[in-house]
Protein backbone atom coordinates (compact mmCIF):
# COMPACT_ATOMS: atom_id res chain seq x y z
CA UNK A 1 0.00 0.00 0.00
CA UNK A 2 1.43 3.47 -0.86
CA UNK A 3 2.38 5.77 1.98
CA UNK A 4 -0.33 8.25 1.16
CA UNK A 5 -3.06 5.65 1.47
CA UNK A 6 -1.57 4.24 4.64
CA UNK A 7 -1.49 7.62 6.23
CA UNK A 8 -5.08 8.30 5.09
CA UNK A 9 -6.33 5.01 6.40
CA UNK A 10 -4.75 5.41 9.78
CA UNK A 11 -5.71 9.06 10.11
CA UNK A 12 -8.70 10.00 7.95
CA UNK A 13 -8.96 13.45 9.45
CA UNK A 14 -5.53 14.75 8.49
CA UNK A 15 -6.16 18.29 9.56
CA UNK A 16 -7.71 17.36 12.85
CA UNK A 17 -5.92 18.48 15.97
CA UNK A 18 -6.27 15.00 17.46
CA UNK A 19 -3.95 13.56 14.83
CA UNK A 20 -1.16 16.08 15.36
CA UNK A 21 2.12 14.65 16.62
CA UNK A 22 3.01 15.50 20.23
CA UNK A 23 6.75 15.67 21.09
CA UNK A 24 7.77 12.96 23.45
CA UNK A 25 9.44 13.79 26.79
CA UNK A 26 13.11 12.77 27.28
CA UNK A 27 13.62 9.94 29.73
CA UNK A 28 16.58 7.97 31.10
CA UNK A 29 17.18 4.74 29.27
CA UNK A 30 19.84 2.04 29.42
CA UNK A 31 19.12 0.73 25.96
CA UNK A 32 21.31 1.46 22.99
CA UNK A 33 20.06 4.49 21.06
CA UNK A 34 19.13 3.66 17.50
CA UNK A 35 20.31 6.96 16.05
CA UNK A 36 23.92 6.55 17.34
CA UNK A 37 24.99 3.07 16.33
CA UNK A 38 28.64 4.11 15.84
CA UNK A 39 29.32 4.56 19.60
CA UNK A 40 30.69 1.39 21.11
CA UNK A 41 29.81 0.02 24.56
CA UNK A 42 33.31 0.90 25.84
CA UNK A 43 32.64 4.61 25.36
CA UNK A 44 31.34 6.69 28.33
CA UNK A 45 28.79 8.23 25.93
CA UNK A 46 27.23 4.83 25.16
CA UNK A 47 24.54 5.51 27.78
CA UNK A 48 23.13 9.00 27.51
CA UNK A 49 23.04 10.80 30.86
CA UNK A 50 21.54 14.30 30.96
CA UNK A 51 24.01 16.87 32.29
CA UNK A 52 23.26 20.11 34.05
CA UNK A 53 24.58 23.26 32.41
CA UNK A 54 27.84 24.37 34.00
CA UNK A 55 29.75 27.58 33.24
CA UNK A 56 33.22 27.30 31.83
CA UNK A 57 36.10 27.32 34.25
CA UNK A 58 38.09 30.51 34.47
CA UNK A 59 41.23 30.23 32.36
CA UNK A 60 44.18 32.37 33.26
CA UNK A 61 46.37 32.85 30.21
CA UNK A 62 49.98 31.79 30.64
CA UNK A 63 52.43 34.62 30.12
CA UNK A 64 55.72 33.41 28.74
CA UNK A 65 59.00 34.66 30.10
CA UNK A 66 59.88 36.43 33.34
CA UNK A 67 60.60 40.00 34.21
CA UNK A 68 64.24 40.60 35.16
CA UNK A 69 65.03 41.72 38.69
CA UNK A 70 65.77 45.44 38.73
CA UNK A 71 69.36 46.30 39.49
CA UNK A 72 69.69 47.90 42.91
CA UNK A 73 70.63 51.55 42.63
CA UNK A 74 71.93 51.65 46.20
CA UNK A 75 73.62 48.34 47.23
CA UNK A 76 72.66 46.97 50.64
CA UNK A 77 76.22 46.29 51.76
CA UNK A 78 77.26 49.90 51.11
CA UNK A 79 75.57 52.20 53.61
CA UNK A 80 77.19 55.30 52.13
CA UNK A 81 75.86 54.66 48.63
CA UNK A 82 72.67 56.77 48.98
CA UNK A 83 74.64 59.79 50.10
CA UNK A 84 77.46 59.30 47.58
CA UNK A 85 75.17 58.86 44.58
CA UNK A 86 73.20 61.99 45.42
CA UNK A 87 76.15 64.25 46.15
CA UNK A 88 76.91 67.25 44.01
CA UNK A 89 80.19 65.77 42.77
CA UNK A 90 78.50 62.51 41.66
CA UNK A 91 75.65 64.37 39.97
CA UNK A 92 78.08 66.70 38.23
CA UNK A 93 80.12 63.74 36.95
CA UNK A 94 77.10 61.65 35.96
CA UNK A 95 74.83 64.38 34.64
CA UNK A 96 77.19 67.03 33.25
CA UNK A 97 75.80 70.28 32.00
CA UNK A 98 76.29 71.17 28.34
CA UNK A 99 79.76 72.44 27.60
CA UNK A 100 80.36 76.09 26.68
CA UNK A 101 81.39 75.04 23.18
CA UNK A 102 77.96 73.51 22.68
CA UNK A 103 76.12 76.52 24.08
CA UNK A 104 78.21 79.06 22.17
CA UNK A 105 78.30 77.12 18.94
CA UNK A 106 77.57 79.37 15.93
CA UNK A 107 74.20 78.88 14.40
CA UNK A 108 74.11 77.70 10.82
CA UNK A 109 73.71 80.52 8.30
CA UNK A 110 71.80 78.34 5.91
CA UNK A 111 68.09 78.92 6.53
CA UNK A 112 67.38 75.37 5.43
CA UNK A 113 69.47 73.92 8.30
CA UNK A 114 67.48 71.87 10.87
CA UNK A 115 67.35 74.52 13.59
CA UNK A 116 64.21 73.05 15.10
CA UNK A 117 65.86 69.64 15.29
CA UNK A 118 68.86 71.05 17.14
CA UNK A 119 66.61 72.94 19.58
CA UNK A 120 64.48 69.85 20.12
CA UNK A 121 67.56 67.71 20.88
CA UNK A 122 68.80 70.28 23.41
CA UNK A 123 65.40 70.38 25.06
CA UNK A 124 65.17 66.59 25.29
CA UNK A 125 68.70 66.39 26.74
CA UNK A 126 67.75 68.91 29.42
CA UNK A 127 64.65 66.85 30.25
CA UNK A 128 66.76 63.70 30.62
CA UNK A 129 69.22 65.40 32.95
CA UNK A 130 66.42 66.79 35.10
CA UNK A 131 64.58 63.45 35.26
CA UNK A 132 67.72 61.53 36.22
CA UNK A 133 68.62 64.04 38.93
CA UNK A 134 65.12 64.05 40.41
CA UNK A 135 64.80 60.26 40.24
CA UNK A 136 68.06 59.75 42.15
CA UNK A 137 66.95 62.14 44.88
CA UNK A 138 63.51 60.57 45.17
CA UNK A 139 64.94 57.06 45.27
CA UNK A 140 67.35 58.17 48.00
CA UNK A 141 64.49 59.55 50.08
CA UNK A 142 62.38 56.45 49.57
CA UNK A 143 65.26 54.17 50.56
CA UNK A 144 65.97 56.17 53.70
CA UNK A 145 62.31 56.04 54.73
CA UNK A 146 62.07 52.31 53.99
CA UNK A 147 65.23 51.49 55.93
CA UNK A 148 64.11 53.61 58.88
CA UNK A 149 60.70 51.95 58.99
CA UNK A 150 62.21 48.49 58.68
CA UNK A 151 64.79 49.20 61.40
CA UNK A 152 62.13 50.49 63.80
CA UNK A 153 59.93 47.47 63.13
CA UNK A 154 62.82 45.08 63.69
CA UNK A 155 63.84 46.82 66.91
CA UNK A 156 60.26 46.64 68.19
CA UNK A 157 60.09 42.91 67.46
CA UNK A 158 63.41 42.34 69.22
CA UNK A 159 62.27 44.27 72.27
CA UNK A 160 59.04 42.28 72.36
CA UNK A 161 60.95 39.02 72.09
CA UNK A 162 63.41 39.97 74.84
CA UNK A 163 60.53 41.02 77.05
CA UNK A 164 58.73 37.71 76.55
CA UNK A 165 61.91 35.72 77.20
CA UNK A 166 62.79 37.60 80.39
CA UNK A 167 59.24 37.90 81.67
CA UNK A 168 58.52 36.12 84.98
CA UNK A 169 56.28 33.09 85.11
CA UNK A 170 52.57 34.09 85.18
CA UNK A 171 50.74 33.48 88.42
CA UNK A 172 48.23 31.05 86.92
CA UNK A 173 51.00 28.85 85.52
CA UNK A 174 52.97 29.08 88.74
CA UNK A 175 50.06 27.98 90.98
CA UNK A 176 48.77 25.28 88.63
CA UNK A 177 52.14 23.76 87.67
CA UNK A 178 53.23 20.40 89.11
CA UNK A 179 55.48 20.40 92.15
CA UNK A 180 59.12 20.24 91.07
CA UNK A 181 62.17 20.45 93.28
CA UNK A 182 64.23 23.58 92.92
CA UNK A 183 67.35 21.52 92.25
CA UNK A 184 65.62 19.74 89.36
CA UNK A 185 64.70 22.92 87.50
CA UNK A 186 66.76 23.72 84.42
CA UNK A 187 69.55 26.14 85.10
CA UNK A 188 70.79 28.73 82.63
CA UNK A 189 74.29 28.65 84.08
CA UNK A 190 75.11 25.34 82.42
CA UNK A 191 76.54 22.16 83.84
CA UNK A 192 79.54 22.25 86.12
CA UNK A 193 82.82 21.08 84.56
CA UNK A 194 85.62 20.77 87.12
CA UNK A 195 88.09 19.21 84.63
CA UNK A 196 87.67 21.94 82.02
CA UNK A 197 91.12 23.49 82.42
CA UNK A 198 92.93 20.14 82.30
CA UNK A 199 90.96 19.05 79.24
CA UNK A 200 91.74 22.32 77.46
CA UNK A 201 95.46 21.88 78.14
CA UNK A 202 95.30 18.31 76.83
CA UNK A 203 93.54 19.55 73.66
CA UNK A 204 96.23 22.17 73.16
CA UNK A 205 98.96 19.55 73.53
CA UNK A 206 97.21 17.23 71.06
CA UNK A 207 96.84 20.06 68.56
CA UNK A 208 100.50 21.01 68.90
CA UNK A 209 101.57 17.39 68.37
CA UNK A 210 99.33 17.05 65.32
CA UNK A 211 100.65 20.32 63.90
CA UNK A 212 104.25 19.19 64.45
CA UNK A 213 103.50 15.88 62.69
CA UNK A 214 102.03 17.71 59.68
CA UNK A 215 105.09 19.97 59.50
CA UNK A 216 107.39 16.94 59.60
CA UNK A 217 105.40 15.30 56.79
CA UNK A 218 105.66 18.45 54.67
CA UNK A 219 109.41 18.67 55.32
CA UNK A 220 109.85 15.00 54.41
CA UNK A 221 107.80 15.45 51.20
CA UNK A 222 109.90 18.48 50.24
CA UNK A 223 113.15 16.57 50.86
CA UNK A 224 111.84 13.62 48.81
CA UNK A 225 111.01 15.97 45.98
CA UNK A 226 114.52 17.44 46.18
CA UNK A 227 116.13 14.00 46.08
CA UNK A 228 114.01 12.85 43.15
CA UNK A 229 114.62 16.07 41.22
CA UNK A 230 117.89 14.67 39.89
CA UNK A 231 115.86 12.32 37.67
CA UNK A 232 113.46 14.97 36.35
CA UNK A 233 113.52 15.81 32.65
CA UNK A 234 113.88 19.56 32.40
CA UNK A 235 115.86 20.00 29.18
CA UNK A 236 115.56 18.78 25.61
CA UNK A 237 118.85 16.90 25.89
CA UNK A 238 117.58 14.83 28.81
CA UNK A 239 114.34 14.20 26.97
CA UNK A 240 116.19 12.95 23.92
CA UNK A 241 118.37 10.71 26.09
CA UNK A 242 115.32 9.24 27.83
CA UNK A 243 113.59 8.57 24.50
CA UNK A 244 116.68 6.94 23.02
CA UNK A 245 117.15 4.82 26.12
CA UNK A 246 113.52 3.70 26.19
CA UNK A 247 113.18 2.96 22.47
CA UNK A 248 116.71 1.74 21.68
CA UNK A 249 116.31 -1.47 19.59
CA UNK A 250 119.81 -2.63 20.54
CA UNK A 251 119.29 -2.22 24.27
CA UNK A 252 119.18 -5.37 26.39
CA UNK A 253 117.22 -3.93 29.27
CA UNK A 254 114.23 -6.19 28.48
CA UNK A 255 116.19 -9.42 27.99
CA UNK A 256 115.41 -12.33 30.28
CA UNK A 257 117.26 -15.59 30.94
CA UNK A 258 115.82 -17.41 27.96
CA UNK A 259 115.45 -14.94 25.12
CA UNK A 260 115.89 -11.36 24.04
CA UNK A 261 112.98 -8.97 24.55
CA UNK A 262 111.81 -5.84 22.84
CA UNK A 263 109.50 -4.49 25.58
CA UNK A 264 108.88 -4.69 29.30
CA UNK A 265 106.36 -7.54 28.97
CA UNK A 266 109.23 -9.86 28.16
CA UNK A 267 110.28 -9.62 31.82
CA UNK A 268 106.99 -11.10 32.98
CA UNK A 269 103.80 -9.81 34.47
CA UNK A 270 103.93 -7.36 37.37
CA UNK A 271 103.80 -8.82 40.83
CA UNK A 272 100.36 -8.96 42.40
CA UNK A 273 99.49 -7.97 45.94
CA UNK A 274 98.88 -11.59 46.91
CA UNK A 275 102.36 -12.57 45.72
CA UNK A 276 103.89 -9.73 47.70
CA UNK A 277 102.03 -10.80 50.84
CA UNK A 278 103.01 -14.42 50.32
CA UNK A 279 106.63 -13.42 49.90
CA UNK A 280 106.54 -11.26 53.02
CA UNK A 281 104.76 -13.93 55.07
CA UNK A 282 106.68 -16.81 53.46
CA UNK A 283 103.53 -18.55 52.29
CA UNK A 284 103.25 -21.81 50.41
CA UNK A 285 103.24 -20.12 47.01
CA UNK A 286 106.57 -18.38 47.56
CA UNK A 287 109.41 -19.35 45.35
CA UNK A 288 111.97 -21.87 46.55
CA UNK A 289 114.87 -19.47 46.07
CA UNK A 290 113.14 -16.75 48.03
CA UNK A 291 112.21 -19.20 50.79
CA UNK A 292 115.81 -20.33 51.06
CA UNK A 293 117.08 -16.74 51.18
CA UNK A 294 115.25 -16.12 54.43
CA UNK A 295 114.25 -12.60 55.47
CA UNK A 296 117.01 -10.81 53.57
CA UNK A 297 114.64 -8.89 51.29
CA UNK A 298 112.43 -7.70 54.10
CA UNK A 299 115.48 -6.92 56.23
CA UNK A 300 116.98 -4.77 53.49
CA UNK A 301 113.78 -2.75 53.20
CA UNK A 302 113.62 -2.26 56.96
CA UNK A 303 117.26 -1.20 57.15
CA UNK A 304 116.66 1.30 54.37
CA UNK A 305 113.71 2.78 56.26
CA UNK A 306 115.80 3.00 59.44
CA UNK A 307 118.57 4.78 57.52
CA UNK A 308 116.09 7.25 56.04
CA UNK A 309 114.68 7.96 59.50
CA UNK A 310 118.17 8.54 60.94
CA UNK A 311 119.41 10.72 58.10
CA UNK A 312 116.14 12.60 57.71
CA UNK A 313 115.69 11.96 53.97
CA UNK A 314 115.27 9.45 51.23
CA UNK A 315 118.15 7.14 50.37
Amino acid sequence: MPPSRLHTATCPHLRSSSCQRVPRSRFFSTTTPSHRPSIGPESPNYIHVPRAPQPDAYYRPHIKGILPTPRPIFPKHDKKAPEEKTSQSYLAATIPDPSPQTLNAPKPKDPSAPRRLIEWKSKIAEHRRRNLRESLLELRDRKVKTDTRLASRTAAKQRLREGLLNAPTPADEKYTAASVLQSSLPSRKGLQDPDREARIEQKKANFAAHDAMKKAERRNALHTLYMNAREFIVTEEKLNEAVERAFDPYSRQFDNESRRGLNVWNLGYPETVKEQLDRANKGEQGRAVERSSGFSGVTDQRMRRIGEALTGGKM
Side-chain angles (χ1 to χ4, degrees):
M1 182 178 296
S4 60
R5 295 182 181 182
L6 178 61
H7 187 66
T8 305
T10 54
C11 188
H13 305 283
L14 183 60
R15 298 181 180 180
S16 177
S17 61
S18 60
C19 295
Q20 295 179 359
R21 295 182 179 180
V22 180
R24 297 180 180 180
S25 61
R26 299 176 64 183
F27 59 95
F28 178 80
S29 175
T30 58
T31 59
T32 305
S34 60
H35 61 281
R36 289 182 296 176
S38 61
I39 301 178
E42 67 276 359
S43 175
N45 297 327
Y46 182 72
I47 300 175
H48 177 70
V49 179
R51 297 181 180 179
Q54 182 179 1
D56 297 337
Y58 175 74
Y59 173 73
R60 179 177 297 176
H62 176 68
I63 302 176
K64 296 184 179 180
I66 57 175
L67 292 176
T69 304
R71 183 177 62 88
I73 304 298
F74 309 112
K76 295 182 179 180
H77 61 275
D78 191 1
K79 296 183 179 179
K80 298 181 180 180
E83 301 298 334
E84 292 179 354
K85 289 193 175 182
T86 54
S87 60
Q88 295 297 331
S89 59
Y90 182 83
L91 294 178
T94 308
I95 318 171
D97 294 331
S99 60
Q101 293 81 3
T102 304
L103 295 177
N104 301 329
K107 297 182 179 180
K109 299 180 180 181
D110 188 3
S112 62
R115 295 183 179 180
R116 294 183 179 180
L117 179 61
I118 297 176
E119 294 177 357
W120 177 78
K121 287 185 177 181
S122 302
K123 186 177 180 180
I124 292 300
E126 181 61 28
H127 285 328
R128 285 198 298 266
R129 286 192 290 268
R130 185 178 69 251
N131 293 338
L132 181 57
R133 187 182 298 105
E134 293 178 356
S135 61
L136 284 176
L137 295 176
E138 291 181 4
L139 287 175
R140 190 271 311 272
D141 296 340
R142 185 172 66 179
K143 178 176 177 55
V144 170
K145 292 180 181 178
T146 303
D147 293 348
T148 303
R149 182 170 60 254
L150 181 61
S152 60
R153 188 184 305 172
T154 304
K157 289 183 179 180
Q158 291 179 356
R159 289 194 299 268
L160 177 61
R161 179 178 177 276
E162 293 295 334
L164 294 176
L165 289 176
N166 300 326
T169 306
D172 54 347
E173 295 184 6
K174 182 178 181 180
Y175 295 142
T176 57
S179 300
V180 182
L181 298 177
Q182 190 69 22
S183 59
S184 301
L185 293 176
S187 176
R188 296 185 179 181
K189 297 181 180 180
L191 300 177
Q192 299 296 330
D193 190 5
D195 301 334
R196 180 173 179 272
E197 298 297 334
R199 191 175 67 257
I200 291 176
E201 295 297 332
Q202 182 65 28
K203 293 290 184 181
K204 290 181 179 180
N206 295 342
F207 178 78
H210 182 68
D211 193 15
M213 183 179 63
K214 289 176 65 177
K215 290 181 179 180
E217 291 179 356
R218 294 195 192 98
R219 191 183 304 108
N220 187 18
L222 181 61
H223 187 270
T224 303
L225 179 64
Y226 174 75
M227 294 298 295
N228 294 332
R230 69 184 69 177
E231 301 177 359
F232 290 170
I233 300 175
V234 294
T235 59
E236 295 184 1
E237 291 76 8
K238 291 186 177 181
L239 178 60
N240 295 332
E241 293 177 2
V243 172
E244 292 294 338
R245 185 171 58 255
F247 297 96
D248 186 9
Y250 302 101
S251 176
R252 295 184 177 275
Q253 56 180 339
F254 302 126
D255 295 349
N256 56 15
E257 300 175 357
S258 60
R259 60 178 180 176
R260 183 180 179 184
L262 300 178
N263 51 45
V264 70
W265 294 107
N266 192 49
L267 301 178
Y269 293 98
E271 192 176 15
T272 61
V273 178
K274 185 175 183 304
E275 293 175 355
Q276 296 177 5
L277 293 175
D278 291 340
R279 187 182 71 252
N281 300 328
K282 298 303 175 184
E284 295 296 333
Q285 298 181 0
R287 299 178 180 178
V289 178
E290 294 181 356
R291 286 200 300 267
S292 61
S293 61
F295 295 92
S296 58
V298 180
T299 304
D300 293 342
Q301 296 180 3
R302 291 177 179 175
M303 292 299 296
R304 183 176 181 180
R305 294 177 184 175
I306 293 174
E308 291 177 355
L310 293 177
T311 57
K314 295 291 182 180
M315 297 180 62

